[in-house]
Amino acid sequence: MREYRLAHPEDELAVRFITIGDQSKAERFCGQHDSAGICTGDEDKRTYRAMGLEQYNLLKLFTDPALKQRRAENKAAGFSQNWAETKIQDGAQLPGAAIVDASGTIRWVHRGAHPGDLPPMSDMLARARELV
């Protein structure tokens, strides 16, 4: 979210974020990143299941080298996991991203390999411009 708002405020693509939790939790979380209006809560993780996003092995949360690197990058940028707002099982939800065209056809999907695995927003927006 932070990458989108900082780097692409004029973009004409409709970007939406799906977050775990009810709508009020989504708005509270996304509001911290100036994105409350483009977030949707998914309390029962229907969207995650529909995209084929699995749960991460909880035993790897603190040992996976790629996840540790991503955490270090986020920490250096001033961001960290808010465990007071996160259920442990939700912290293990693998992330994903999709590009859906105006007719509702899914044109591209990224399924994360670890909880911090998402391509940079600039890469996803470039891909969207190519596909739609």
Side-chain angles (χ1 to χ4, degrees), residues 105-118:
T105 301
I106 296 173
R107 304 290 305 271
W108 173 84
V109 175
H110 171 85
R111 291 178 181 89
H114 60 72
D117 181 20
L118 278 175

Side-chain angles (χ1 to χ4, degrees), residues 7-23:
H8 307 281
E10 76 295 337
D11 210 307
E12 294 182 16
L13 296 169
V15 175
R16 298 293 178 263
F17 299 99
I18 308 296
T19 65
I20 298 172
D22 64 20
Q23 187 61 30

Side-chain angles (χ1 to χ4, degrees), residues 1-4 7-8 17 70 73 97 99 108 110 116-129:
M1 282 181 273
R2 62 187 179 263
E3 293 175 41
Y4 176 71
H8 307 281
F17 299 99
R70 180 65 179 203
E73 292 167 1
I99 297 172
W108 173 84
H110 171 85
D117 181 20
L118 278 175
M121 179 60 73
S122 57
D123 292 357
M124 289 188 280
L125 291 172
R127 174 72 60 105
R129 287 184 194 97

Side-chain angles (χ1 to χ4, degrees), residues 17 26-27 31-34 41 43 47-49 53-55 68 70 72 79 81-83 96 99-100 110 128:
F17 299 99
E27 290 173 6
Q32 296 171 2
H33 302 284
D34 248 358
E43 192 165 9
T47 306
Y48 293 82
R49 285 192 305 276
L53 302 174
E54 299 178 7
Q55 290 285 314
K68 288 168 86 172
R70 180 65 179 203
F79 302 99
Q81 180 71 43
N82 180 350
W83 289 106
I99 297 172
V100 182
H110 171 85

Side-chain angles (χ1 to χ4, degrees), residues 52-72:
L53 302 174
E54 299 178 7
Q55 290 285 314
Y56 189 66
N57 181 334
L58 287 173
L59 298 175
K60 292 183 175 183
L61 271 177
F62 303 102
T63 60
D64 183 316
L67 179 55
K68 288 168 86 172
Q69 178 181 346
R70 180 65 179 203
R71 263 198 206 112

Side-chain angles (χ1 to χ4, degrees), residues 85-108:
E85 287 280 331
T86 305
K87 296 176 188 173
I88 190 69
Q89 66 270 25
D90 292 344
Q93 175 62 59
L94 291 174
I99 297 172
V100 182
D101 67 21
S103 70
T105 301
I106 296 173
R107 304 290 305 271
W108 173 84

